[in-house]
């Protein structure tokens, strides 16, 4: 997986049983060490998987990911002022770097961001003076002596507790959150505004971007995603539905109305069509780990941009160009508005993104080779090697190819994640989580 030419081994499938709307996975994220993997779903749940430790019997085989903690992060709410239902669906999860024995993550639905603490407990205090062992308050008149409480061992218990709730700051739906490299602040982004929060302060945020026009009829674009630079705490980027990106510097002014860099690829007039603006909308933007490059995903392509070149992308990769002739039907069934994500591998040499029919694509930036793989229960047995898939556009179809007319558009890979240092990927396909890793010889 370090290179698409190498074989990829299937590691584990985590299924949540019969498919209901609430079980559909809506976000996937590794923590900074890669030891934990979190998924959020449309039912407001967060499931955290932990990697098994390396066994002495098989030192070269790292353990698989097993369920570590499951908790209900968000509940459905109702905005009585606007008569609107607020879904419990988890839009994004972002981990904070681990600083002690506990883990911290941010999760958000459309309106509210929550900071969760996940900690382990394997001891319990016994011998209270004012309470009995069941926790009931004792009658003070029966207390005749002081006891020293002691910690007794107990079965390991993983607890998830909400530490902060950041709410009432967004009129529109939150589409992304990003933790700053100072680890003190983060930003939350909706269609028209970006807010900056301090992780310790829940009742106040600072509006750092506001593109809402005085007259909403003059609105021409919306913000689709935003992310902080991985090393420079003053720099962030946000993308728009017009296929543009703006790099902003918070040192320039408190309200980043003026960008420091503007990235846009000029449109080829010969390719102009009714769908041009829709398919050019950027659904995801990611800084490379080095901070030198930006990666964007629009409907048909993944592009890599150099921060020093605003006029055009450095690299453009076609994800599923065979769908260009099917844009009309994709518009009618609303698939054209699907928001695919994209991820870098740990060394920024390979990029990955999803497609339809449970396909996901990998592009090697060095060799320029690419591969299409399929995440499905039918052809994925544990430790089986995934076979590359090919899509046939027209003419005679070979035995190992699938026709573009028989693709299943209800099966889509929108959310993927890559382990920060190893060649392990997580792919969410409806209510299934697939974890793949390099084939170990």
């Amino acid at each position: 997986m370090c290179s698409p030419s190498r074989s990829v081994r299937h590691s584990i499938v985590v299924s949540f049983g019969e498919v209901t709307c609430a079980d559909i996975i809506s976000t996937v994220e590794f923590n900074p060490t890669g030891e934990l993997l979190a998924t959020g779903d449309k039912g407001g749940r967060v499931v955290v998987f932990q990697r098994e430790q390396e066994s002495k019997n098989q030192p070269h085989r790292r353990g698989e990911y097993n369920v570590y903690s499951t908790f209900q992060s968000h509940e459905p709410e109702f905005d009585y002022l606007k008569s609107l239902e607020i879904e419990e669906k988890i839009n994004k999860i972002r981990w904070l770097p681990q600083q002690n024995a506990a883990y911290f993550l941010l999760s958000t639905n459309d309106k509210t961001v929550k900071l969760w603490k996940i900690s382990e407990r394997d001891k319990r205090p016994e011998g209270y003076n004012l309470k009995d062992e069941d926790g009931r308050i004792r009658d003070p008149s029966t207390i005749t002596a002081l006891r020293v409480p002691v910690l007794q061992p107990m079965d390991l218990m993983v607890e998830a507790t909400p530490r902060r709730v950041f709410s009432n700051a967004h009129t529109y739906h939150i589409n992304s959150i990003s933790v700053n490299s100072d680890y003190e602040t983060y930003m939350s982004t909706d269609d028209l505004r970006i807010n900056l929060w301090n992780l310790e302060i829940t009742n106040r945020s600072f509006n750092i971007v506001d593109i809402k026009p005085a007259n909403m009829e003059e609105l021409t674009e919306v913000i689709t995603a935003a992310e902080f630079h991985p090393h420079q705490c003053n720099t962030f980027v946000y993308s728009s539905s017009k296929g543009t990106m703006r790099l902003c510097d918070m040192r320039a002014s408190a309200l980043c109305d003026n960008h420091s860099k503007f990235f846009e690829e000029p449109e080829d007039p010969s390719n102009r069509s009714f769908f041009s603006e829709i398919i050019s909308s950027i659904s995801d933007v990611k800084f490379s780990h080095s901070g030198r490059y930006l990666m964007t995903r629009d409907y048909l392509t993944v592009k890599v941009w150099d921060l020093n070149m605003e006029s055009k992308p450095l690299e453009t990769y076609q994800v599923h160009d065979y769908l260009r002739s099917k844009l009309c039907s994709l518009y009618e069934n609303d698939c054209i508005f699907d928001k695919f994500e994209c991820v870098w591998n740990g060394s920024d040499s390979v990029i990955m993104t999803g497609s339809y029919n449970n396909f996901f694509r990998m592009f090697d930036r060095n060799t320029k080779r690419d591969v299409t793989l399929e995440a499905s229960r039918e052809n994925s047995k544990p430790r089986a090697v995934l076979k590359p898939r090919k899509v046939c556009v027209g003419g005679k179809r070979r035995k190992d190819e699938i026709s573009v007319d028989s693709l299943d558009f209800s099966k889509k890979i929108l959310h993927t994640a890559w382990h920060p240092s190893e060649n392990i990927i997580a792919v969410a396909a409806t209510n299934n989580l697939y974890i793949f890793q390099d084939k170990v010889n």
Side-chain angles (χ1 to χ4, degrees):
M1 208 178 309
C2 187
S3 156
S5 60
R6 290 172 63 181
S7 50
V8 177
R9 187 183 74 183
H10 172 253
S11 173
I12 186 174
V13 184
V14 181
S15 174
F16 299 98
E18 194 177 328
V19 184
T20 65
C21 187
D23 295 327
I24 295 173
I25 297 172
S26 52
T27 184
V28 186
E29 190 77 10
F30 280 102
N31 79 330
T33 63
E35 292 303 299
L36 297 180
L37 171 67
T39 66
D41 64 26
K42 288 191 173 182
R45 291 181 299 265
V46 172
V47 181
V48 179
F49 299 88
Q50 185 182 47
R51 198 175 182 190
E52 280 183 359
Q53 295 304 307
E54 192 174 279
S55 66
K56 291 179 180 177
N57 301 335
Q58 295 171 307
H60 300 296
R61 243 185 71 189
R62 281 302 308 267
E64 295 178 340
Y65 285 84
N66 296 317
V67 175
Y68 179 62
S69 175
T70 304
F71 58 93
Q72 188 72 28
S73 173
H74 287 68
E75 302 279 358
E77 298 172 54
F78 192 79
D79 185 335
Y80 291 97
L81 286 173
K82 297 189 179 125
S83 297
L84 281 175
E85 284 187 36
I86 301 168
E87 285 186 338
E88 65 271 40
K89 174 194 166 195
I90 308 295
N91 291 343
K92 284 285 186 288
I93 288 172
R94 289 290 178 264
W95 290 91
L96 274 63
Q98 189 179 3
Q99 295 177 336
N100 52 36
Y103 302 98
F104 289 87
L105 64 81
L106 289 167
S107 63
T108 185
N109 68 347
D110 285 341
K111 299 288 181 184
T112 305
V113 184
K114 294 185 181 182
L115 174 66
W116 289 88
K117 177 185 179 182
I118 302 168
S119 53
E120 295 181 355
R121 201 149 61 94
D122 59 0
K123 292 182 177 66
R124 68 171 183 272
E126 285 185 1
Y128 288 106
N129 288 287
L130 301 177
K131 292 189 288 187
D132 60 23
E133 299 307 329
D134 297 327
R136 292 189 293 265
I137 301 295
R138 292 170 63 190
D139 182 355
S141 62
T142 64
I143 301 172
T144 57
L146 286 176
R147 294 189 291 178
V148 178
V150 292
L151 291 171
Q152 297 286 2
M154 58 177 272
D155 291 339
L156 179 68
M157 191 166 75
V158 181
E159 294 179 314
T161 49
R163 298 305 299 268
R164 308 263 191 284
V165 178
F166 307 89
S167 57
N168 304 322
H170 286 278
T171 308
Y172 305 95
H173 292 175
I174 298 172
N175 56 43
S176 56
I177 51 176
S178 179
V179 180
N180 201 345
S181 58
D182 62 9
Y183 306 138
E184 292 180 7
T185 56
Y186 78 92
M187 64 180 174
S188 56
T189 308
D190 67 26
D191 288 351
L192 299 179
R193 291 193 176 101
I194 300 176
N195 292 331
L196 181 70
W197 301 82
N198 187 299
L199 283 160
E200 300 293 326
I201 302 169
T202 60
N203 61 355
R204 186 170 70 250
S205 65
F206 296 95
N207 181 222
I208 53 174
V209 172
D210 188 347
I211 65 165
K212 184 178 180 181
N215 179 3
M216 282 295 277
E217 291 180 2
E218 296 170 5
L219 182 70
T220 58
E221 63 180 337
V222 294
I223 302 169
T224 55
E227 188 175 69
F228 271 118
H229 190 282
H231 313 303
Q232 300 167 9
C233 61
N234 54 282
T235 308
F236 68 93
V237 69
Y238 69 92
S239 58
S240 87
S241 56
K242 279 196 162 180
T244 63
M245 286 181 297
R246 291 168 174 86
L247 191 75
C248 300
D249 189 337
M250 291 191 290
R251 296 171 301 185
S253 65
L255 187 64
C256 300
D257 279 346
N258 297 316
H259 47 266
S260 53
K261 290 192 176 182
F262 182 76
F263 299 86
E264 182 179 28
E265 184 175 26
E267 189 186 15
D268 183 356
S270 62
N271 287 336
R272 179 80 190 160
S273 73
F274 170 77
F275 305 108
S276 294
E277 198 164 306
I278 302 173
I279 63 172
S280 67
S281 175
I282 294 173
S283 56
D284 196 16
V285 59
K286 294 269 173 60
F287 275 102
S288 62
H289 294 85
S290 66
R292 170 74 190 270
Y293 303 103
L294 280 167
M295 171 168 56
T296 59
R297 171 71 208 259
D298 57 40
Y299 191 66
L300 294 176
T301 66
V302 173
K303 292 170 181 165
V304 175
W305 302 74
D306 190 318
L307 252 58
N308 299 324
M309 187 168 71
E310 301 164 59
S311 58
K312 62 177 182 178
L314 198 64
E315 302 154 21
T316 301
Y317 301 98
Q318 298 295 335
V319 178
H320 38 215
D321 200 49
Y322 45 79
L323 296 183
R324 204 174 282 275
S325 62
K326 297 204 164 292
L327 292 178
C328 194
S329 57
L330 290 164
Y331 178 78
E332 288 170 0
N333 63 17
D334 282 348
C335 283
I336 201 168
F337 301 106
D338 286 333
K339 292 176 169 53
F340 292 95
E341 296 171 6
C342 52
V343 288
W344 302 86
N345 72 337
S347 61
D348 299 332
S349 59
V350 184
I351 55 183
M352 173 175 64
T353 191
S355 181
Y356 293 104
N357 210 72
N358 280 356
F359 289 166
F360 59 99
R361 303 268 283 134
M362 288 177 161
F363 303 93
D364 190 313
R365 298 180 58 215
N366 298 325
T367 64
K368 303 303 178 192
R369 296 179 71 171
D370 65 271
V371 68
T372 302
L373 300 169
E374 183 180 4
S376 72
R377 299 181 71 84
E378 290 76 36
N379 63 5
S380 293
K381 292 175 183 172
R383 320 221 174 275
V385 175
L386 293 188
K387 292 178 182 171
R389 303 300 307 266
K390 286 192 173 71
V391 177
C392 166
V393 180
K396 198 171 182 183
R397 185 172 67 88
R398 293 182 184 171
K399 186 181 177 183
D400 58 340
E401 291 180 336
I402 182 168
S403 167
V404 68
D405 296 317
S406 56
L407 294 175
D408 188 342
F409 293 105
S410 66
K411 294 179 178 177
K412 52 193 87 169
I413 305 287
L414 301 176
H415 315 287
T416 58
W418 204 309
H419 190 288
S421 57
E422 296 183 43
N423 285 318
I424 299 172
I425 59 169
V427 175
T430 320
N431 68 325
N432 294 318
L433 176 67
Y434 295 85
I435 300 171
F436 303 101
Q437 63 188 59
D438 250 349
K439 184 184 176 190
V440 181
N441 293 323

